[in-house]
Amino acid sequence: MNENEHLPPATPKKAITYASYLRVDELLALQSPVSDPPEHDETLFIIIHQVYELWFKQMLHELEKVKRDFRENHLYGAMATLKRCRMIMKTLVQQLDILETMTPTDFNSFRERLETASGFQSAQFRAVEFMLGYKRPNMLGFHEPGGPGQALLQHHLQMPSLVDCFYAFLIHRGYSIPVELLERDLTQPTETNAQVQDALLDIYRTKPDLANLLELMTDFDEGLQEWRYRHVKMVERTIGHKPGTGGSPGADFLRATLFKPVFPDLWAMRHRL
Ligand code: HEM
């Protein structure tokens, strides 16, 4: 027997640990309150926004998969991932409960220090909207020219949206999609279309497996609208009629974003069911 056979390696490889894999030290060094003297609630305010950004990152990752599944005609893959997206959306809504434990006085103690920073400038939130088909090219103007936020939005503005990929899926399943939708300007938002609504109606009436997918998409859409509603109510109770730090009129601006679906055809045809 060769006596070297059972020796450990000369220089043992450093084992991966919980902290090294998740880069916990770096993660926990990313909270930098600006209030001086320190205000207790600012830590919550920072952490909750950071957590939202992480979930937005995950959501973009998952929606990319749904787009791919639609293009490749994978019904069950798309459904499994949409279910996950729906659960993430529910978590995004629920997290607002935590922030609502912060009173207007608590928030006022450090609000001025935020200067013009606002969730309105979240590039990832806007990218989620673009990816879902709610595209508005003018939103790029709110991001630093040449910066990573603008690059992300530029990318999603030009790519087919999830709805465009859904049209490809409907074609795989034997439905015809009007040429004006297939050759549309991809930088523009989704618009309702009567022929697509006819296809959706046929699915609901004759194809229960595909109808489940439509219900999941409706759930997700409703979840996003719920987030918008809960965010407006939180804003109203926290800052009332004050303008936003991002320069908008505040709650009045946000109210105008309510009840706008990202899958408008799914809502426009429901009275026919
Ligand atoms: C005390 C807590 C909060 C207040 C008072 C608040 C207030 C506002 C206001 C007034 C706006 C309108 C733009 C502006 O003028 O600033 C806005 C937009 C926005 N906020 Fe918040 N917000 C809060 C928490 C959050 C959290 C936790 C998130 C999660 C990321 C968030 C995400 C957003 C987004 C994405 C927008 C843009 C919405 C759109 O354009 O449709 N906000 N917020």
Side-chain angles (χ1 to χ4, degrees):
M1 184 181 130
N2 178 348
E3 62 183 14
N4 288 327
E5 220 170 78
H6 299 287
L7 287 177
T11 41
K13 214 174 113 206
K14 206 171 170 243
I16 295 186
T17 63
Y18 177 85
S20 71
Y21 179 64
L22 298 174
R23 302 181 62 184
V24 173
D25 293 343
E26 288 109 306
L27 186 65
L28 299 184
L30 294 177
Q31 294 71 42
S32 315
V34 291
S35 54
D36 183 19
E39 291 296 342
H40 180 81
D41 281 21
E42 195 184 352
T43 305
L44 170 69
F45 190 77
I46 293 172
I47 287 183
I48 205 145
H49 280 85
Q50 290 183 336
V51 171
Y52 269 104
E53 287 297 329
L54 287 175
W55 281 126
F56 292 156
K57 183 173 181 178
Q58 186 67 28
M59 185 73 90
L60 290 168
H61 184 61
E62 302 295 351
L63 292 176
E64 207 62 75
K65 155 94 166 36
V66 179
K67 281 175 60 177
R68 206 164 50 238
D69 284 336
F70 278 157
R71 280 196 308 265
E72 295 171 3
N73 193 15
H74 292 155
L75 171 64
Y76 294 114
M79 284 178 66
T81 309
L82 270 168
K83 255 186 206 158
R84 182 177 294 171
C85 292
R86 180 182 65 174
M87 295 318 288
I88 295 174
M89 191 55 80
K90 282 185 184 298
T91 298
L92 295 186
V93 173
Q94 267 181 6
Q95 276 180 193
L96 291 173
D97 290 341
I98 309 175
L99 200 50
E100 282 184 342
T101 62
M102 178 179 74
T103 67
T105 319
D106 295 334
F107 185 44
N108 276 334
S109 66
F110 63 89
R111 185 174 189 235
E112 269 187 18
R113 308 297 298 258
L114 304 178
E115 299 180 1
T116 55
S118 162
F120 182 80
Q121 298 152 351
S122 167
Q124 290 202 111
F125 178 81
R126 215 54 85 196
V128 169
E129 287 186 331
F130 280 17
M131 213 164 167
L132 291 166
Y134 185 30
K135 296 188 180 181
R136 286 165 295 165
N138 64 332
M139 285 295 153
L140 269 71
F142 296 98
H143 296 266
E144 191 197 334
Q150 201 183 65
L152 179 75
L153 291 183
Q154 189 69 48
H155 171 77
H156 287 293
L157 188 68
Q158 275 152 3
M159 294 304 284
S161 70
L162 190 130
V163 173
D164 294 309
C165 296
F166 179 62
Y167 297 150
F169 178 75
L170 290 179
I171 292 172
H172 281 304
R173 298 291 162 146
Y175 293 97
S176 54
I177 297 295
V179 71
E180 70 263 24
L181 290 186
L182 299 177
E183 292 176 0
R184 72 183 202 91
D185 175 356
L186 292 177
T187 66
Q188 294 305 304
T190 308
E191 282 183 14
T192 51
N193 181 280
Q195 202 173 323
V196 171
Q197 288 167 34
D198 288 345
L200 299 178
L201 186 63
D202 185 74
I203 288 176
Y204 269 114
R205 286 189 175 150
T206 65
K207 301 193 171 63
D209 52 341
L210 296 189
N212 280 333
L213 169 72
L214 303 188
E215 284 298 282
L216 269 176
M217 290 168 73
T218 312
D219 280 349
F220 178 82
D221 201 346
E222 195 173 342
L224 180 56
Q225 293 180 56
E226 195 184 349
W227 184 84
R228 291 190 196 277
Y229 172 77
R230 285 291 314 275
H231 175 258
V232 180
K233 295 316 284 182
M234 182 191 64
V235 170
E236 277 179 354
R237 69 185 275 171
T238 312
I239 63 168
H241 297 297
K242 287 180 198 165
T245 46
S248 85
D252 282 343
F253 159 78
L254 292 167
R255 256 193 297 275
T257 69
L258 296 179
F259 308 120
K260 287 201 180 109
V262 283
F263 306 133
D265 284 324
L266 275 168
W267 299 87
M269 48 71 67
R270 301 192 90 73
H271 64 285
R272 297 166 67 194
L273 288 172

Short mmCIF file of all heavy atoms in Angstrom, two decimals, residues 148-201:
data_model
loop_
_atom_site.label_atom_id
_atom_site.label_comp_id
_atom_site.label_asym_id
_atom_site.label_seq_id
_atom_site.Cartn_x
_atom_site.Cartn_y
_atom_site.Cartn_z
N PRO A 148 -26.05 52.40 -14.48
CA PRO A 148 -26.59 51.04 -14.56
C PRO A 148 -28.11 50.97 -14.58
O PRO A 148 -28.69 50.11 -15.23
CB PRO A 148 -26.03 50.36 -13.30
CG PRO A 148 -25.54 51.45 -12.41
CD PRO A 148 -25.26 52.64 -13.27
N GLY A 149 -28.77 51.91 -13.88
CA GLY A 149 -30.24 51.92 -13.86
C GLY A 149 -30.79 52.19 -15.25
O GLY A 149 -31.70 51.50 -15.73
N GLN A 150 -30.22 53.20 -15.91
CA GLN A 150 -30.71 53.53 -17.25
C GLN A 150 -30.42 52.38 -18.23
O GLN A 150 -31.24 52.07 -19.09
CB GLN A 150 -30.08 54.83 -17.75
CG GLN A 150 -30.90 55.45 -18.84
CD GLN A 150 -30.29 56.71 -19.43
OE1 GLN A 150 -29.23 56.66 -20.04
NE2 GLN A 150 -30.97 57.82 -19.22
N ALA A 151 -29.25 51.74 -18.07
CA ALA A 151 -28.90 50.62 -18.96
C ALA A 151 -29.90 49.47 -18.79
O ALA A 151 -30.33 48.84 -19.77
CB ALA A 151 -27.48 50.15 -18.67
N LEU A 152 -30.27 49.20 -17.53
CA LEU A 152 -31.24 48.13 -17.27
C LEU A 152 -32.57 48.43 -17.97
O LEU A 152 -33.18 47.57 -18.61
CB LEU A 152 -31.45 48.01 -15.75
CG LEU A 152 -32.44 46.95 -15.28
CD1 LEU A 152 -31.83 45.56 -15.40
CD2 LEU A 152 -32.89 47.20 -13.83
N LEU A 153 -33.00 49.69 -17.84
CA LEU A 153 -34.29 50.07 -18.43
C LEU A 153 -34.23 50.08 -19.95
O LEU A 153 -35.18 49.66 -20.61
CB LEU A 153 -34.71 51.45 -17.91
CG LEU A 153 -35.09 51.45 -16.43
CD1 LEU A 153 -35.57 52.82 -15.99
CD2 LEU A 153 -36.18 50.43 -16.16
N GLN A 154 -33.11 50.54 -20.48
CA GLN A 154 -32.92 50.55 -21.93
C GLN A 154 -33.06 49.12 -22.47
O GLN A 154 -33.73 48.88 -23.47
CB GLN A 154 -31.52 51.11 -22.24
CG GLN A 154 -31.25 51.37 -23.70
CD GLN A 154 -32.09 52.54 -24.23
OE1 GLN A 154 -32.14 53.58 -23.59
NE2 GLN A 154 -32.77 52.34 -25.33
N HIS A 155 -32.45 48.19 -21.75
CA HIS A 155 -32.50 46.79 -22.17
C HIS A 155 -33.96 46.29 -22.21
O HIS A 155 -34.41 45.75 -23.22
CB HIS A 155 -31.66 45.95 -21.20
CG HIS A 155 -31.82 44.47 -21.39
ND1 HIS A 155 -31.21 43.78 -22.42
CD2 HIS A 155 -32.55 43.54 -20.70
CE1 HIS A 155 -31.55 42.51 -22.35
NE2 HIS A 155 -32.35 42.32 -21.32
N HIS A 156 -34.67 46.50 -21.10
CA HIS A 156 -36.04 45.97 -21.04
C HIS A 156 -37.01 46.73 -21.93
O HIS A 156 -38.04 46.18 -22.35
CB HIS A 156 -36.53 45.92 -19.60
CG HIS A 156 -35.85 44.82 -18.82
ND1 HIS A 156 -36.07 43.49 -19.10
CD2 HIS A 156 -34.93 44.85 -17.83
CE1 HIS A 156 -35.32 42.75 -18.29
NE2 HIS A 156 -34.62 43.55 -17.52
N LEU A 157 -36.68 47.99 -22.23
CA LEU A 157 -37.53 48.75 -23.15
C LEU A 157 -37.50 48.11 -24.53
O LEU A 157 -38.52 48.03 -25.22
CB LEU A 157 -37.01 50.20 -23.22
CG LEU A 157 -37.88 51.20 -23.98
CD1 LEU A 157 -39.18 51.44 -23.24
CD2 LEU A 157 -37.15 52.52 -24.19
N GLN A 158 -36.32 47.66 -24.94
CA GLN A 158 -36.18 47.14 -26.30
C GLN A 158 -36.53 45.66 -26.46
O GLN A 158 -36.81 45.20 -27.56
CB GLN A 158 -34.75 47.39 -26.79
CG GLN A 158 -34.63 48.78 -27.36
CD GLN A 158 -33.26 49.38 -27.27
OE1 GLN A 158 -32.33 48.73 -26.81
NE2 GLN A 158 -33.13 50.61 -27.70
N MET A 159 -36.51 44.94 -25.36
CA MET A 159 -36.79 43.49 -25.45
C MET A 159 -38.30 43.24 -25.53
O MET A 159 -39.08 44.04 -25.02
CB MET A 159 -36.28 42.77 -24.18
CG MET A 159 -34.78 42.77 -24.01
SD MET A 159 -33.95 42.07 -25.43
CE MET A 159 -34.26 40.33 -25.15
N PRO A 160 -38.71 42.12 -26.15
CA PRO A 160 -40.13 41.75 -26.09
C PRO A 160 -40.55 41.61 -24.62
O PRO A 160 -39.77 41.11 -23.79
CB PRO A 160 -40.17 40.38 -26.78
CG PRO A 160 -38.92 40.31 -27.60
CD PRO A 160 -37.90 41.13 -26.90
N SER A 161 -41.73 42.07 -24.30
CA SER A 161 -42.22 41.96 -22.91
C SER A 161 -42.78 40.57 -22.67
O SER A 161 -42.89 39.76 -23.60
CB SER A 161 -43.32 42.99 -22.68
OG SER A 161 -44.47 42.59 -23.41
N LEU A 162 -43.16 40.32 -21.43
CA LEU A 162 -43.79 39.04 -21.10
C LEU A 162 -45.07 38.84 -21.92
O LEU A 162 -45.38 37.73 -22.36
CB LEU A 162 -44.09 39.01 -19.60
CG LEU A 162 -44.53 37.66 -19.05
CD1 LEU A 162 -43.72 37.32 -17.82
CD2 LEU A 162 -45.99 37.68 -18.68
N VAL A 163 -45.78 39.94 -22.17
CA VAL A 163 -47.01 39.83 -22.97
C VAL A 163 -46.67 39.46 -24.42
O VAL A 163 -47.35 38.63 -25.03
CB VAL A 163 -47.83 41.14 -22.89
CG1 VAL A 163 -49.02 41.10 -23.85
CG2 VAL A 163 -48.32 41.35 -21.46
N ASP A 164 -45.59 40.04 -24.97
CA ASP A 164 -45.18 39.66 -26.33
C ASP A 164 -44.87 38.16 -26.37
O ASP A 164 -45.21 37.46 -27.33
CB ASP A 164 -43.93 40.45 -26.76
CG ASP A 164 -44.23 41.93 -26.92
OD1 ASP A 164 -45.20 42.27 -27.62
OD2 ASP A 164 -43.50 42.76 -26.34
N CYS A 165 -44.19 37.67 -25.33
CA CYS A 165 -43.87 36.24 -25.29
C CYS A 165 -45.13 35.39 -25.11
O CYS A 165 -45.22 34.27 -25.60
CB CYS A 165 -42.86 35.95 -24.16
SG CYS A 165 -41.28 36.78 -24.44
N PHE A 166 -46.10 35.95 -24.40
CA PHE A 166 -47.39 35.25 -24.24
C PHE A 166 -48.09 35.11 -25.60
O PHE A 166 -48.70 34.08 -25.88
CB PHE A 166 -48.27 36.03 -23.25
CG PHE A 166 -49.62 35.44 -23.02
CD1 PHE A 166 -49.77 34.17 -22.48
CD2 PHE A 166 -50.77 36.16 -23.35
CE1 PHE A 166 -51.03 33.62 -22.28
CE2 PHE A 166 -52.03 35.61 -23.15
CZ PHE A 166 -52.16 34.35 -22.62
N TYR A 167 -47.97 36.13 -26.47
CA TYR A 167 -48.54 36.00 -27.82
C TYR A 167 -47.88 34.81 -28.54
O TYR A 167 -48.56 34.03 -29.22
CB TYR A 167 -48.31 37.27 -28.66
CG TYR A 167 -48.97 38.52 -28.13
CD1 TYR A 167 -48.40 39.78 -28.35
CD2 TYR A 167 -50.17 38.48 -27.42
CE1 TYR A 167 -48.98 40.94 -27.88
CE2 TYR A 167 -50.76 39.64 -26.93
CZ TYR A 167 -50.16 40.87 -27.17
OH TYR A 167 -50.73 42.01 -26.69
N ALA A 168 -46.55 34.68 -28.38
CA ALA A 168 -45.84 33.56 -29.02
C ALA A 168 -46.38 32.23 -28.49
O ALA A 168 -46.56 31.27 -29.25
CB ALA A 168 -44.34 33.68 -28.75
N PHE A 169 -46.66 32.19 -27.19
CA PHE A 169 -47.22 30.98 -26.58
C PHE A 169 -48.59 30.66 -27.19
O PHE A 169 -48.91 29.51 -27.51
CB PHE A 169 -47.32 31.17 -25.06
CG PHE A 169 -47.93 30.01 -24.34
CD1 PHE A 169 -47.21 28.84 -24.14
CD2 PHE A 169 -49.24 30.07 -23.88
CE1 PHE A 169 -47.80 27.75 -23.49
CE2 PHE A 169 -49.82 29.00 -23.23
CZ PHE A 169 -49.09 27.83 -23.02
N LEU A 170 -49.42 31.70 -27.36
CA LEU A 170 -50.76 31.48 -27.93
C LEU A 170 -50.65 30.94 -29.36
O LEU A 170 -51.45 30.08 -29.77
CB LEU A 170 -51.58 32.79 -27.91
CG LEU A 170 -52.02 33.28 -26.53
CD1 LEU A 170 -52.79 34.59 -26.65
CD2 LEU A 170 -52.89 32.24 -25.81
N ILE A 171 -49.65 31.42 -30.09
CA ILE A 171 -49.45 30.90 -31.46
C ILE A 171 -49.09 29.41 -31.39
O ILE A 171 -49.65 28.60 -32.11
CB ILE A 171 -48.35 31.72 -32.19
CG1 ILE A 171 -48.88 33.13 -32.47
CG2 ILE A 171 -47.94 31.04 -33.50
CD1 ILE A 171 -47.84 34.10 -33.02
N HIS A 172 -48.17 29.04 -30.46
CA HIS A 172 -47.83 27.62 -30.27
C HIS A 172 -49.09 26.79 -30.04
O HIS A 172 -49.17 25.62 -30.43
CB HIS A 172 -46.95 27.42 -29.03
CG HIS A 172 -45.50 27.77 -29.23
ND1 HIS A 172 -44.72 27.21 -30.21
CD2 HIS A 172 -44.68 28.61 -28.55
CE1 HIS A 172 -43.50 27.69 -30.12
NE2 HIS A 172 -43.44 28.54 -29.12
N ARG A 173 -50.06 27.39 -29.35
CA ARG A 173 -51.27 26.64 -28.98
C ARG A 173 -52.38 26.76 -30.04
O ARG A 173 -53.54 26.48 -29.76
CB ARG A 173 -51.79 27.14 -27.62
CG ARG A 173 -50.79 26.92 -26.49
CD ARG A 173 -50.66 25.43 -26.20
NE ARG A 173 -49.46 25.09 -25.46
CZ ARG A 173 -49.41 24.11 -24.56
NH1 ARG A 173 -50.46 23.40 -24.28
NH2 ARG A 173 -48.26 23.84 -23.96
N GLY A 174 -52.00 27.26 -31.21
CA GLY A 174 -52.94 27.23 -32.33
C GLY A 174 -53.78 28.48 -32.53
O GLY A 174 -54.70 28.47 -33.36
N TYR A 175 -53.51 29.53 -31.77
CA TYR A 175 -54.30 30.76 -31.95
C TYR A 175 -53.56 31.71 -32.88
O TYR A 175 -52.32 31.74 -32.88
CB TYR A 175 -54.55 31.43 -30.59
CG TYR A 175 -55.45 30.60 -29.70
CD1 TYR A 175 -54.91 29.76 -28.73
CD2 TYR A 175 -56.83 30.63 -29.88
CE1 TYR A 175 -55.74 28.96 -27.93
CE2 TYR A 175 -57.66 29.83 -29.08
CZ TYR A 175 -57.11 29.01 -28.11
OH TYR A 175 -57.93 28.24 -27.35
N SER A 176 -54.32 32.49 -33.64
CA SER A 176 -53.60 33.46 -34.49
C SER A 176 -53.61 34.83 -33.80
O SER A 176 -54.60 35.24 -33.18
CB SER A 176 -54.19 33.50 -35.89
OG SER A 176 -55.56 33.75 -35.81
N ILE A 177 -52.46 35.47 -33.91
CA ILE A 177 -52.26 36.78 -33.27
C ILE A 177 -52.15 37.81 -34.39
O ILE A 177 -51.43 37.58 -35.37
CB ILE A 177 -50.97 36.77 -32.41
CG1 ILE A 177 -51.10 35.75 -31.27
CG2 ILE A 177 -50.63 38.15 -31.87
CD1 ILE A 177 -52.16 36.05 -30.23
N PRO A 178 -52.88 38.92 -34.30
CA PRO A 178 -52.86 39.90 -35.38
C PRO A 178 -51.44 40.40 -35.68
O PRO A 178 -50.63 40.58 -34.76
CB PRO A 178 -53.71 41.06 -34.85
CG PRO A 178 -54.41 40.54 -33.66
CD PRO A 178 -53.74 39.32 -33.18
N VAL A 179 -51.19 40.62 -36.96
CA VAL A 179 -49.84 41.00 -37.39
C VAL A 179 -49.41 42.32 -36.75
O VAL A 179 -48.23 42.52 -36.44
CB VAL A 179 -49.76 41.02 -38.95
CG1 VAL A 179 -50.54 42.20 -39.54
CG2 VAL A 179 -48.33 41.00 -39.41
N GLU A 180 -50.37 43.21 -36.49
CA GLU A 180 -49.98 44.51 -35.89
C GLU A 180 -49.40 44.32 -34.48
O GLU A 180 -48.62 45.14 -34.01
CB GLU A 180 -51.13 45.53 -35.91
CG GLU A 180 -52.29 45.24 -34.98
CD GLU A 180 -53.45 44.53 -35.71
OE1 GLU A 180 -53.20 43.88 -36.74
OE2 GLU A 180 -54.59 44.61 -35.21
N LEU A 181 -49.76 43.21 -33.82
CA LEU A 181 -49.17 42.95 -32.49
C LEU A 181 -47.79 42.30 -32.65
O LEU A 181 -46.87 42.56 -31.87
CB LEU A 181 -50.06 42.03 -31.66
CG LEU A 181 -51.38 42.61 -31.17
CD1 LEU A 181 -52.09 41.64 -30.25
CD2 LEU A 181 -51.17 43.94 -30.45
N LEU A 182 -47.65 41.47 -33.66
CA LEU A 182 -46.38 40.76 -33.84
C LEU A 182 -45.30 41.71 -34.37
O LEU A 182 -44.12 41.49 -34.13
CB LEU A 182 -46.56 39.58 -34.80
CG LEU A 182 -47.56 38.53 -34.31
CD1 LEU A 182 -47.74 37.42 -35.34
CD2 LEU A 182 -47.10 37.94 -32.97
N GLU A 183 -45.73 42.77 -35.06
CA GLU A 183 -44.74 43.70 -35.61
C GLU A 183 -44.79 45.04 -34.89
O GLU A 183 -44.37 46.06 -35.42
CB GLU A 183 -45.02 43.90 -37.11
CG GLU A 183 -44.72 42.65 -37.90
CD GLU A 183 -45.09 42.79 -39.37
OE1 GLU A 183 -45.58 43.86 -39.79
OE2 GLU A 183 -44.88 41.80 -40.10
N ARG A 184 -45.31 45.05 -33.69
CA ARG A 184 -45.51 46.31 -32.99
C ARG A 184 -44.18 46.93 -32.54
O ARG A 184 -43.15 46.23 -32.47
CB ARG A 184 -46.44 46.10 -31.78
CG ARG A 184 -45.79 45.36 -30.65
CD ARG A 184 -46.68 45.06 -29.47
NE ARG A 184 -45.84 44.84 -28.29
CZ ARG A 184 -45.48 45.80 -27.45
NH1 ARG A 184 -45.91 47.03 -27.61
NH2 ARG A 184 -44.69 45.53 -26.43
N ASP A 185 -44.20 48.22 -32.23
CA ASP A 185 -43.04 48.91 -31.68
C ASP A 185 -42.87 48.41 -30.23
O ASP A 185 -43.69 48.70 -29.36
CB ASP A 185 -43.31 50.43 -31.72
CG ASP A 185 -42.20 51.23 -31.06
OD1 ASP A 185 -41.27 50.61 -30.50
OD2 ASP A 185 -42.28 52.47 -31.11
N LEU A 186 -41.80 47.65 -29.99
CA LEU A 186 -41.63 46.99 -28.68
C LEU A 186 -41.41 47.97 -27.53
O LEU A 186 -41.51 47.58 -26.37
CB LEU A 186 -40.44 46.01 -28.74
CG LEU A 186 -40.62 44.78 -29.62
CD1 LEU A 186 -39.35 43.95 -29.64
CD2 LEU A 186 -41.81 43.93 -29.16
N THR A 187 -41.09 49.22 -27.85
CA THR A 187 -40.84 50.18 -26.77
C THR A 187 -42.14 50.78 -26.22
O THR A 187 -42.12 51.59 -25.30
CB THR A 187 -39.94 51.34 -27.24
OG1 THR A 187 -40.66 52.11 -28.22
CG2 THR A 187 -38.63 50.83 -27.84
N GLN A 188 -43.28 50.38 -26.82
CA GLN A 188 -44.57 50.94 -26.39
C GLN A 188 -45.31 49.98 -25.46
O GLN A 188 -45.08 48.77 -25.50
CB GLN A 188 -45.43 51.27 -27.61
CG GLN A 188 -44.85 52.38 -28.47
CD GLN A 188 -44.58 53.65 -27.67
OE1 GLN A 188 -45.49 54.18 -27.03
NE2 GLN A 188 -43.33 54.11 -27.65
N PRO A 189 -46.21 50.51 -24.61
CA PRO A 189 -46.93 49.63 -23.68
C PRO A 189 -47.92 48.69 -24.37
O PRO A 189 -48.36 48.96 -25.49
CB PRO A 189 -47.68 50.61 -22.77
CG PRO A 189 -47.75 51.89 -23.53
CD PRO A 189 -46.58 51.92 -24.46
N THR A 190 -48.27 47.61 -23.66
CA THR A 190 -49.29 46.67 -24.14
C THR A 190 -50.61 47.41 -24.35
O THR A 190 -51.00 48.25 -23.53
CB THR A 190 -49.55 45.59 -23.07
OG1 THR A 190 -48.32 45.03 -22.68
CG2 THR A 190 -50.48 44.51 -23.57
N GLU A 191 -51.29 47.06 -25.44
CA GLU A 191 -52.64 47.63 -25.65
C GLU A 191 -53.64 46.50 -25.77
O GLU A 191 -53.29 45.39 -26.17
CB GLU A 191 -52.66 48.47 -26.92
CG GLU A 191 -52.01 49.83 -26.66
CD GLU A 191 -52.06 50.75 -27.85
OE1 GLU A 191 -52.81 50.46 -28.81
OE2 GLU A 191 -51.32 51.74 -27.82
N THR A 192 -54.88 46.79 -25.44
CA THR A 192 -55.91 45.75 -25.54
C THR A 192 -56.14 45.41 -27.02
O THR A 192 -55.92 46.24 -27.89
CB THR A 192 -57.26 46.22 -24.94
OG1 THR A 192 -57.58 47.48 -25.51
CG2 THR A 192 -57.19 46.32 -23.44
N ASN A 193 -56.59 44.18 -27.26
CA ASN A 193 -56.82 43.75 -28.64
C ASN A 193 -57.99 42.76 -28.67
O ASN A 193 -57.97 41.76 -27.94
CB ASN A 193 -55.54 43.10 -29.20
CG ASN A 193 -55.71 42.67 -30.62
OD1 ASN A 193 -56.27 41.62 -30.91
ND2 ASN A 193 -55.24 43.49 -31.54
N ALA A 194 -58.96 43.04 -29.52
CA ALA A 194 -60.19 42.23 -29.56
C ALA A 194 -59.91 40.77 -29.94
O ALA A 194 -60.51 39.85 -29.37
CB ALA A 194 -61.19 42.86 -30.52
N GLN A 195 -58.97 40.58 -30.88
CA GLN A 195 -58.70 39.20 -31.33
C GLN A 195 -58.04 38.37 -30.21
O GLN A 195 -58.33 37.18 -30.05
CB GLN A 195 -57.81 39.23 -32.57
CG GLN A 195 -57.91 37.97 -33.40
CD GLN A 195 -57.14 38.08 -34.71
OE1 GLN A 195 -57.12 39.15 -35.34
NE2 GLN A 195 -56.50 37.00 -35.12
N VAL A 196 -57.15 39.01 -29.46
CA VAL A 196 -56.53 38.31 -28.32
C VAL A 196 -57.62 37.96 -27.30
O VAL A 196 -57.65 36.86 -26.74
CB VAL A 196 -55.42 39.18 -27.68
CG1 VAL A 196 -54.92 38.56 -26.37
CG2 VAL A 196 -54.27 39.39 -28.65
N GLN A 197 -58.54 38.88 -27.07
CA GLN A 197 -59.62 38.61 -26.11
C GLN A 197 -60.48 37.43 -26.56
O GLN A 197 -60.91 36.62 -25.73
CB GLN A 197 -60.46 39.86 -25.90
CG GLN A 197 -59.72 40.92 -25.10
CD GLN A 197 -60.39 42.27 -25.15
OE1 GLN A 197 -61.61 42.39 -25.20
NE2 GLN A 197 -59.57 43.33 -25.12
N ASP A 198 -60.71 37.32 -27.89
CA ASP A 198 -61.47 36.16 -28.39
C ASP A 198 -60.72 34.86 -28.09
O ASP A 198 -61.32 33.86 -27.70
CB ASP A 198 -61.67 36.27 -29.92
CG ASP A 198 -62.67 37.36 -30.28
OD1 ASP A 198 -63.40 37.82 -29.37
OD2 ASP A 198 -62.70 37.76 -31.46
N ALA A 199 -59.39 34.90 -28.26
CA ALA A 199 -58.58 33.70 -27.98
C ALA A 199 -58.69 33.35 -26.48
O ALA A 199 -58.85 32.17 -26.12
CB ALA A 199 -57.13 33.95 -28.37
N LEU A 200 -58.62 34.36 -25.63
CA LEU A 200 -58.71 34.10 -24.18
C LEU A 200 -60.07 33.50 -23.82
O LEU A 200 -60.16 32.58 -23.01
CB LEU A 200 -58.47 35.40 -23.39
CG LEU A 200 -57.10 36.07 -23.60
CD1 LEU A 200 -57.01 37.36 -22.80
CD2 LEU A 200 -55.96 35.13 -23.20
N LEU A 201 -61.10 34.02 -24.46
CA LEU A 201 -62.45 33.50 -24.20
C LEU A 201 -62.53 32.03 -24.61
O LEU A 201 -63.07 31.20 -23.86
CB LEU A 201 -63.46 34.33 -25.01
CG LEU A 201 -64.93 34.03 -24.74
CD1 LEU A 201 -65.29 34.34 -23.29
CD2 LEU A 201 -65.82 34.83 -25.70
#
